[in-house]
């Protein structure tokens, strides 16, 4: 993991293809690294403070944030923003998922869902690759599922965030019951990362 200070030296030489995944979330990074490794794409985690704006579009958040970090460090940046869109709550919390998770958490979401008969929800990700200030490339991924009605299942030992309450369509498990390898077979993030990896291998031969 690289800290900001070590990147301040403008002579920093990457010597080849290396991408920096800008996030403060180690779980996201571990999921991304596992997928990119299959494509022989090396990625380092770049922790950057206070870079995320609020907006009602995850694409806008991801694009603007990636560009800002690219301008700050001059390094090839991957950055993603995710949102959880719950149908029974008219798409809430959507792009405000991080704030809602921090404030009311999974138990708050389950309380809001108490009276709802529709429990379908979609996780969405926009992944942005930015290696020049002119054209950040966007890759999107999503997965439909349901908000479970049990608080946290006994087997919930993996994951983070909303993983304990999100069960993707086609799986008997919630994300928090899956290893990274299993979650990567379904997740919004994995779908966007696959699109990116195929594009990257094609355009960076
Ligand atoms: P960075 O912005 O530093 O990358 P973050 O955790 O704040 O990390 P997001 O803004 O993209 O990431 O995520 C919004 C919220 O959704 C946040 O509370 C996450 O924990 C949660 N989240 C994102 N992806 C998730 C996933 O795959 N499973 C469960 N929760 C997820």
């Amino acid at each position: 993991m690289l800290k900001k200070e070590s990147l301040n030296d403008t002579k920093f030489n990457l010597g080849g293809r290396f991408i920096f995944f800008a996030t403060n979330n180690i779980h996201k990074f571990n999921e991304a690294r596992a997928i990119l490794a299959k494509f022989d794409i090396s990625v380092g985690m770049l922790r950057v403070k206070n870079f995320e704006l609020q907006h009602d579009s995850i694409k806008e958040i991801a694009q603007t944030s990636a560009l800002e970090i690219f301008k700050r460090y001059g390094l090839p940046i991957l950055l993603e923003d995710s949102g959880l869109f719950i149908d029974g709550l008219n798409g809430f919390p959507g792009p405000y998922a991080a704030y809602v998770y921090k404030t009311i958490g999974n138990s708050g979401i389950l309380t809001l869902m108490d009276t709802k008969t529709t429990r379908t929800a979609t996780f969405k990700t926009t992944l942005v690759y930015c290696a020049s200030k002119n054209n950040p490339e966007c890759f999107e991924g999503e997965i439909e599922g349901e908000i479970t009605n049990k608080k946290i299942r006994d087997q919930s030992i993996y994951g983070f965030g909303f993983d304990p309450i999100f069960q993707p369509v086609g799986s008997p498990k919630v994300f928090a019951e899956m290893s990274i390898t299993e979650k990567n077979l379904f997740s919004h993030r994995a779908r966007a990362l696959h699109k990116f990896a195929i594009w990257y291998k094609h355009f960076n031969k």
Side-chain angles (χ1 to χ4, degrees):
M1 187 186 314
L2 285 165
K3 292 220 163 97
K4 180 181 168 187
E5 301 78 60
S6 60
L7 299 174
N8 280 341
D9 181 355
T10 49
K11 295 192 199 82
F12 193 76
N13 182 2
L14 293 175
R17 282 193 271 148
F18 200 86
I19 297 173
F20 292 86
F21 193 99
T23 182
N24 292 312
N25 186 327
I26 186 74
H27 305 281
K28 275 188 179 184
F29 174 71
N30 286 337
E31 290 176 14
R33 185 172 50 181
I35 289 183
L36 297 177
K38 287 200 207 141
F39 290 85
D40 290 322
I41 300 173
S42 305
V43 64
M45 179 172 174
L46 178 62
R47 278 192 191 273
V48 193
K49 292 257 185 288
N50 303 327
F51 65 92
E52 197 170 291
L53 66 146
Q54 291 289 320
H55 197 280
D56 58 12
S57 152
I58 57 171
K59 186 171 180 181
E60 186 65 37
I61 295 170
Q63 273 184 320
T64 309
S65 306
L67 199 52
E68 143 107 32
I69 309 267
F70 172 75
K71 284 188 195 152
R72 211 186 289 175
Y73 297 106
L75 297 168
I77 296 294
L78 254 187
L79 180 148
E80 62 104 303
D81 194 59
S82 296
L84 177 63
F85 298 77
I86 303 176
D87 296 327
L89 302 176
N90 297 327
F92 178 86
Y96 303 99
Y99 180 70
V100 170
Y101 182 75
K102 270 184 229 143
T103 49
I104 63 171
N106 286 333
S107 57
I109 296 275
L110 290 178
T111 304
L112 292 174
M113 295 297 291
D114 258 356
T115 55
K116 306 291 176 192
T117 44
T118 305
R119 302 193 72 92
T120 50
T122 306
F123 249 128
K124 297 184 187 179
T125 285
T126 298
L127 176 72
V128 177
Y129 177 69
C130 194
S132 99
K133 60 180 178 215
N134 298 324
N135 59 341
E137 295 283 343
C138 292
F139 306 87
E140 298 186 298
E142 58 180 66
I143 176 72
E144 292 176 1
E146 290 204 344
I147 302 301
T148 50
N149 51 19
K150 276 170 134 189
K151 192 176 174 189
I152 294 185
R153 298 193 191 176
D154 295 344
Q155 307 92 311
S156 294
I157 52 167
Y158 299 109
F160 65 99
F162 302 105
D163 282 348
I165 61 167
F166 186 84
Q167 180 170 1
V169 165
S171 166
K173 298 178 180 177
V174 294
F175 273 160
E177 294 168 319
M178 300 181 189
S179 64
I180 287 181
T181 309
E182 284 176 285
K183 184 177 170 186
N184 277 346
L185 296 175
F186 291 93
S187 87
H188 46 305
R189 178 166 303 105
R191 290 177 176 181
L193 281 159
H194 273 110
K195 289 180 191 169
F196 162 72
I198 290 163
W199 172 87
Y200 186 81
K201 293 300 270 190
H202 187 76
F203 286 102
N204 290 274
K205 282 180 188 147

